[in-house]
Amino acid sequence: MFNNQQIMDLPKHSDISFKPLADKALLHTQLNWLAFYIPLIGVLIAVCYFNETFANNAQTYLLIGVPILVVISMLYNMLGIKLQGVAVRSHDIVFKKGIIWQQVTILPLARVQHIEIHRGPIERKLDLASLKLFSAGGVSADLQISGLTHDDCKNIRQFVQSYRQENTCPELEFADE
Amino acid sequence: MNSATTDEQTRTLHWQKVSSWALLYFVVHFSVRFIKDGLLNLLPMLVVFVTQVENKLFWAQVAGAIALVSLLVYSFLYFLNFRFCISDENEILLKKGVFKKERITLSFARVQNVNVAEPFYFIPVNLVNCIVDAAGSVSQEVVLPGLTKDYAQQIRKQIFAFKAQQQETKLDEQSETDITENSLRISNKEIAKFGLMSNMAILAIAALAPFINMLIDFLEKEIVSKVEGFYQQELGIMANAATFAMITLIAMLVLMAVMLSVTMSLIRFYNFELYFKGQKFKRIAGLLERHQLSMSMDKVQSIVIKQNLMGRILKRFTVECLQASSGGAIAGVAAKKNKQTLVLPVLSAEKVDSVCQWIYPWFNSKKLAFKRAERALLYKNLAFYALFPSALVFGFCFITETNSLISLGVLAVFSGLVILSYQRYGYYLHEDNGRFYMVVRKGMIGVHYRVFELYKAQSARGISTYLMRKSGLKSLYIQLASGFAFMPYIKQQDADFIIDFTIKQIESDTRSWM
């Protein structure tokens, strides 16, 4: 039977102080959302322009609803970015995220199978990057951290690589996109 | 390129051809692949053929002949190009392909299993297929067909000797006297029960999905009308003949599905034999192909013990020893398909305990004192999955002016299922000789246990909502290399402790998890 005795030196993840994402992470998220909203608004304007009946029925609701939706998602993004944080410890990487469902994920470096760094056009402009860390068995990346500076991503990748070499873990796969 | 050629020149590689009988394997292999993968792609052509072509029989014969000749020619060319080599540097090298030539190099170090399969068409000539599985970040399989049994065993021994040499320190810890052989045989009568428990017939029905409309039309024309006529003429039933005919048809279809399931189980697990010696499983089973699967305990990531509704009625469980399935759910399915999962079907509770004790000597299902989820989970699930749907049904009944008592029925059924599901959730931690294990239970009508050693976990996650944090609760998610363990709504301090402890186990244990 398992004996749950107090272990004094057990490092507690609840005590970790997380590093916030890069300053431009919020701008990146907002721009990403705008890239979704602008075509949507464009389509709605076009429908209203060509379909008078739809315009008469929906115009007022759209004029009130869409700006509210945009403002709510911007506030949601602000809160979301504020609640995200990453911590690199000597043996693992910890990432917290979530507004309604808050998650703290700990990925030991010894279990990292594959690392990817993604940079979209907006990210390249803002000198940001997204980091994906994969272990075995997961459906997708175990950790997917957007809004880190490109330098931070490269440093984390280098750190994981050095850790794996020092600890003679099996070869790691890297990808830069 | 140059360095590769030079490297090859310096090495003496003895490329070998496989036996001429292996041609049979290639014909069967490509036929199965054509049926499984090719037919679906040819479906649009089939539709055109059925609807547009007039002289169907003639053109079907022409198409069949072309397909047969192409298959035979392709298999023959594939056989001619197929070469393998066991290099001095402990690698298996393979050259194959007709249009696209492939060269595969598989290091012994990456091999997970070496299986020896004896298909029915090789039995008269006493040959076998040697299947070498390698699982890492990319799932891979090398099949050497038509080898003699002795040579396949020699390859197997050579690979395992190399791997044992690599893990010499580990083997040293285990003295020879500790190695005792355990065995288990399952009668074919029991295997037939697995057919009843499993849903193999559904797979067959799913394969028929594209033709379902044609099938229904055919059944209506050919079967239902005849059965209806039989009832009318022979038994003198006039009024309900059509209903009786339909019931007869449904009963026949169910019976056929059950028979199909039983047959498929027998094909897969016929004369099931399982041996466990020196931390290694060896399973031999199969009707058309005697498949031998070896699996080292080190490779097992978690053990799943399952019992569905039929299993509960028959009082039988299925045990699965899962290996790493890197690359997500799709690779997980591939792992099962590639027979990397050791399935032990139709075991009684006592047999489950005895088999699990081979691996985990502490395991006793009756003594697992599970800690259950907190009551808040029950209240939340009742609100979301019972009250809310029944309120929707009530609203629907109110609008359509139907009997609103239906919503009460929905409430009762859904509440029952929610309560069952809540009662199933549980976790149990165990320490045995300095090793730490976790058992997570879930289910609803059936039950599902996952047993794993904590250090084999890949990552750990705590999930909580605002209300959960207010109530001091947290859900726990542990990612494994074969699936995951999820335990919702436990005390926050317990969840935090398990996460911290699991991470400590992963980071401090120097044993290889793969």
Side-chain angles (χ1 to χ4, degrees):
Chain A
M1 178 69 188
F2 185 72
N3 192 4
N4 187 1
Q5 282 174 343
Q6 181 73 39
I7 299 172
M8 296 308 289
D9 63 345
L10 189 64
K12 289 183 178 172
H13 75 276
S14 48
D15 295 341
I16 295 171
S17 54
F18 289 91
K19 185 186 167 194
L21 300 181
D23 297 336
K24 289 175 184 167
L26 179 61
L27 180 61
H28 167 239
T29 314
Q30 304 287 34
L31 287 174
N32 258 345
W33 273 96
L34 276 182
F36 166 72
Y37 277 121
I38 288 171
L40 179 74
I41 292 168
V43 168
L44 287 172
I45 290 170
V47 172
C48 286
Y49 182 77
F50 291 112
N51 189 336
E52 213 170 304
T53 331
F54 176 78
N56 290 336
N57 290 331
Q59 211 167 25
T60 323
Y61 298 112
L62 288 175
L63 281 172
I64 300 167
V66 172
I68 290 176
L69 197 67
V70 172
V71 170
I72 287 176
S73 37
M74 285 189 149
L75 290 173
Y76 190 86
N77 289 340
M78 280 169 72
L79 192 60
I81 293 290
K82 205 179 163 190
L83 288 172
Q84 283 183 41
V86 61
V88 181
R89 301 197 290 181
S90 46
H91 296 288
D92 48 49
I93 295 182
V94 191
F95 181 55
K96 69 162 184 169
K97 66 168 187 179
I99 298 172
I100 297 166
W101 287 275
Q102 282 193 5
Q103 297 183 5
V104 178
T105 307
I106 309 172
L107 176 62
L109 301 179
R111 296 292 184 267
V112 177
Q113 294 278 312
H114 175 73
I115 299 179
E116 285 177 15
I117 294 177
H118 288 257
R119 296 189 83 199
I122 303 172
E123 283 174 317
R124 284 200 295 273
K125 204 81 191 150
L126 298 173
D127 194 30
L128 296 176
S130 302
L131 185 71
K132 283 184 177 181
L133 293 139
F134 295 81
S135 73
V139 176
S140 58
D142 282 52
L143 282 188
Q144 185 170 348
I145 312 170
S146 295
L148 292 173
T149 63
H150 191 209
D151 285 342
D152 274 349
C153 282
K154 284 193 285 188
N155 289 341
I156 292 175
R157 186 171 68 173
Q158 186 57 47
F159 178 67
V160 177
Q161 190 179 15
S162 314
Y163 180 90
R164 307 269 310 182
Q165 277 165 359
E166 278 165 27
N167 292 276
T168 59
C169 298
E171 215 169 280
L172 195 59
E173 291 174 41
F174 296 101
D176 237 328
E177 287 181 21
Chain B
M1 186 76 184
N2 280 339
S3 65
T5 323
T6 325
D7 185 37
E8 195 161 308
Q9 279 166 352
T10 51
R11 288 199 281 172
T12 46
L13 297 176
H14 304 290
W15 290 99
Q16 298 182 63
K17 279 181 81 172
V18 283
S19 151
S20 316
W21 289 101
L23 184 60
L24 254 177
Y25 165 81
F26 292 123
V27 172
V28 173
H29 174 75
F30 290 119
S31 306
V32 172
R33 267 188 63 182
F34 175 71
I35 292 164
K36 272 162 77 178
D37 308 330
L39 274 187
L40 264 181
N41 296 330
L42 291 176
L43 205 62
M45 272 172 72
L46 200 69
V47 172
V48 173
F49 178 78
V50 171
T51 53
Q52 307 295 321
V53 177
E54 277 185 11
N55 196 352
K56 287 191 181 65
L57 188 66
F58 170 74
W59 288 113
Q61 281 172 345
V62 170
I66 292 172
L68 186 69
V69 171
S70 312
L71 178 77
L72 290 174
V73 170
Y74 187 81
S75 302
F76 184 67
L77 292 175
Y78 200 91
F79 163 74
L80 285 182
N81 290 329
F82 194 93
R83 297 276 190 285
F84 76 96
C85 165
I86 311 288
S87 80
D88 299 336
E89 295 179 7
N90 298 307
E91 289 167 337
I92 299 174
L93 304 165
L94 198 67
K95 282 201 272 193
K96 60 178 184 176
V98 177
F99 302 114
K100 196 179 97 183
K101 307 267 183 191
E102 273 183 86
R103 184 181 160 141
I104 294 172
T105 307
L106 179 60
S107 159
F108 285 1
R110 286 192 56 213
V111 173
Q112 281 223 331
N113 292 318
V114 183
N115 304 319
V116 178
E118 197 178 353
F120 68 95
Y121 45 84
F122 277 165
I123 292 173
V125 285
N126 216 10
L127 294 177
V128 293
N129 292 336
C130 185
I131 305 158
V132 186
D133 282 332
S137 51
V138 181
S139 188
Q140 208 177 0
E141 189 183 76
V142 166
V143 181
L144 305 175
L147 304 185
T148 60
K149 229 180 227 177
D150 291 343
Y151 188 57
Q153 293 292 356
Q154 190 195 319
I155 293 176
R156 201 161 156 249
K157 272 184 194 160
Q158 198 178 340
I159 292 171
F160 283 129
F162 174 80
K163 287 181 80 72
Q165 209 179 354
Q166 280 196 322
Q167 298 172 341
E168 212 168 336
T169 45
K170 228 187 262 182
L171 284 176
D172 284 346
E173 288 167 16
Q174 196 178 23
S175 70
E176 278 296 315
T177 47
D178 287 343
I179 302 173
T180 50
E181 183 171 86
N182 293 297
S183 66
L184 171 81
R185 277 164 209 270
I186 301 175
S187 71
N188 292 326
K189 193 177 151 194
E190 285 288 309
I191 294 296
K193 283 183 187 173
F194 182 70
L196 300 176
M197 280 164 63
S198 67
N199 302 320
M200 284 180 169
I202 290 173
L203 292 177
I205 289 166
L208 287 174
F211 312 102
I212 206 80
N213 280 336
M214 278 159 62
L215 199 70
I216 288 171
D217 287 346
F218 171 78
L219 288 173
E220 214 169 334
K221 272 184 207 159
E222 302 293 324
I223 312 275
V224 176
S225 56
K226 280 180 187 165
V227 177
E228 199 178 332
F230 170 79
Y231 278 126
Q232 280 174 351
Q233 284 173 13
E234 303 294 324
L235 304 176
I237 304 165
M238 295 298 283
N240 295 321
T243 320
F244 276 119
M246 194 50 90
I247 292 169
T248 311
L249 178 69
I250 291 168
M252 273 168 62
L253 284 177
V254 170
L255 197 69
M256 268 172 65
V258 170
M259 293 301 289
L260 194 66
S261 254
V262 170
T263 312
M264 285 169 84
S265 299
L266 283 170
I267 288 172
R268 192 174 165 198
F269 295 119
Y270 188 77
N271 281 352
F272 186 99
E273 293 168 34
L274 178 76
Y275 304 94
F276 184 72
K277 189 182 179 185
Q279 295 295 304
K280 212 171 268 177
F281 276 113
K282 189 171 88 177
R283 187 206 70 182
I284 308 166
L287 180 65
L288 300 178
E289 181 184 79
R290 292 295 289 163
H291 193 264
Q292 184 177 317
L293 171 75
S294 301
M295 187 187 283
S296 170
M297 256 322 291
D298 304 339
K299 306 287 175 213
V300 176
Q301 299 298 319
S302 65
I303 290 180
V304 166
I305 304 163
K306 292 194 288 194
Q307 187 184 45
N308 59 12
L309 176 64
M310 276 308 286
R312 286 194 75 177
I313 294 166
L314 298 168
K315 293 181 180 161
R316 292 290 183 272
F317 294 83
T318 301
V319 177
E320 289 177 356
C321 298
L322 304 163
Q323 296 192 86
S325 55
S326 176
I330 299 157
V333 174
K336 277 194 176 181
K337 217 172 155 187
N338 286 341
K339 297 163 187 169
Q340 287 174 16
T341 299
L342 177 69
V343 180
L344 315 177
V346 281
L347 301 183
S348 62
E350 294 76 34
K351 274 188 181 162
V352 168
D353 275 1
S354 69
V355 168
C356 288
Q357 277 163 14
W358 299 350
I359 312 154
Y360 307 132
W362 53 270
F363 190 89
N364 184 342
S365 59
K366 290 182 187 70
K367 287 186 181 167
L368 303 178
F370 285 98
K371 271 188 113 173
R372 283 168 53 170
E374 296 297 313
R375 278 200 164 260
L377 176 70
L378 177 65
Y379 301 142
K380 185 213 74 171
N381 283 352
L382 277 175
F384 278 96
Y385 303 121
L387 269 176
F388 182 64
S390 57
L392 281 181
V393 172
F394 180 77
F396 181 76
C397 292
F398 186 75
I399 293 164
T400 55
E401 292 178 357
T402 44
N403 193 347
S404 55
L405 281 175
I406 295 169
S407 63
L408 271 182
V410 170
L411 181 67
V413 171
F414 282 33
S415 300
L417 293 175
V418 164
I419 291 167
L420 279 175
S421 160
Y422 165 73
Q423 284 176 335
R424 287 274 184 248
Y425 272 118
Y427 73 93
Y428 171 74
L429 290 160
H430 188 91
E431 185 199 350
D432 186 61
N433 289 326
R435 291 183 174 195
F436 296 91
Y437 303 87
M438 189 169 186
V439 186
V440 177
R441 182 182 67 186
K442 66 175 182 179
M444 194 180 276
I445 294 164
V447 67
H448 180 287
Y449 300 89
R450 190 180 286 274
V451 192
F452 60 95
E453 203 173 341
L454 284 180
Y455 92 99
K456 292 218 171 193
Q458 299 292 309
S459 65
R461 183 179 299 166
I463 306 157
S464 60
T465 60
Y466 175 75
L467 285 176
M468 285 169 77
R469 286 191 294 280
K470 277 276 169 199
S471 319
L473 300 173
K474 203 174 238 187
S475 295
L476 171 73
Y477 179 97
I478 296 177
Q479 179 68 53
L480 301 166
S482 58
F484 63 89
F486 178 66
M487 185 63 213
Y489 284 68
I490 55 176
K491 286 201 175 86
Q492 190 171 353
Q493 65 203 51
D494 289 347
D496 284 344
F497 174 78
I498 295 170
I499 291 171
D500 291 331
F501 193 71
T502 304
I503 295 298
K504 189 172 187 293
Q505 287 297 308
I506 298 170
E507 290 168 357
S508 59
D509 205 312
T510 51
R511 284 178 291 160
S512 163
W513 65 272
M514 267 184 100

